Amino acid sequence: MPVIPSRDHFGGCLIGQCLGDALGFPVEGCAPEICGPYVAELRKNPGKHRTLLGAQIRVCQYTDDSQLAREWIQSYLACGRFDPVDYAARISAIFSENRIVGRGLATDRAARRLAAGTSWQEAGDPKGNAGNGTAMRAAPVGLAFGHEPAEMARVSHEQGWITHHDPRCSAGSVAIAGAVALAVAPHRLDSQAFTHQLAEWVRPLDALFAEEITRIPGWIALPPKDAAPLLSSAGAPNFNDGWKWISPYVIPSVLWSLYAFLQSPDSYWETVCTTIESGGDVDTTAAMAGAISGAH
């Protein structure tokens, strides 16, 4: 069962998310042929904070993934509970005041609707837009509510509903929050039990997503270069959003983050490096995996 987390769990989770996000940012959207050498250099020089892509120098920087998770924590602290009205106002403000680093398209559209006066219940992008914009910010929900799984699922869904109305987005939020809740347990993690529990929490929102989560222990036996092509098409084998490798589609990006953590649950550094070297939406996948690993 999930345990009540300590202050250090909260710190580890948020710092772990920010660092994973920042390390992935310089090679966001790049191929494994670029991400692999970048990660190899990081392994040799963990203090490296910039990379050269063509003629452009890209510096490590946390982005909207971490900013919106931090806003959730700030809202929770200010209200003493989860208040969707307050959190929606914070999402609207960070976009309208141009404080956001990297604008997820669906979240940006929802933020504009919120700023125009649309309620938090109605502002989200419609079903069919199933990006990872809600899962990427859900990690602290698992710390605040992991000891109450039903409440954790409700809050994960509601915080995501503000910007995304696709049930797969809610399922991804529950998966990341639930993974963090389970990761704070002091004993060694068992991947079968871990993924079984996550699937049970996710299933009421999306049965297919839940079934894909149960396949992760089998994928863990594969090296990342063999597992990545399988996970990248999970959940919708004929889906094509124009991204190669691990895309922002919520199912493969959440699955890849869980895979990377469960491959090396006792090493934050290995988890983040594995997440990034696959290529694709690596700032977000490394943010999610980093949050889980940092909490653990």
Side-chain angles (χ1 to χ4, degrees), residues 260-278:
F261 169 64
L262 291 172
Q263 262 236 325
S264 51
D266 297 323
S267 173
Y268 173 87
W269 190 240
E270 286 302 314
T271 292
V272 169
C273 285
T274 295
T275 311
I276 295 172
E277 64 189 355
S278 67

Side-chain angles (χ1 to χ4, degrees), residues 85-135:
V85 174
D86 182 80
Y87 186 47
R90 291 170 183 272
I91 292 174
S92 174
I94 199 171
F95 276 84
S96 63
E97 295 167 10
N98 205 29
R99 291 184 282 122
I100 203 75
V101 180
R103 292 172 175 264
L105 296 180
T107 306
D108 188 27
R109 288 191 292 266
R112 291 175 186 274
R113 295 184 196 109
L114 290 167
T118 304
S119 71
W120 73 268
Q121 296 99 328
E122 302 295 331
D125 247 30
K127 183 178 179 180
N129 295 331
N132 53 25
T134 70

Side-chain angles (χ1 to χ4, degrees), residues 65-79:
D65 309 71
S66 303
Q67 289 179 289
L68 294 176
R70 179 180 181 273
E71 289 295 323
W72 190 93
I73 293 175
Q74 296 286 77
S75 177
Y76 181 76
L77 288 172
C79 299

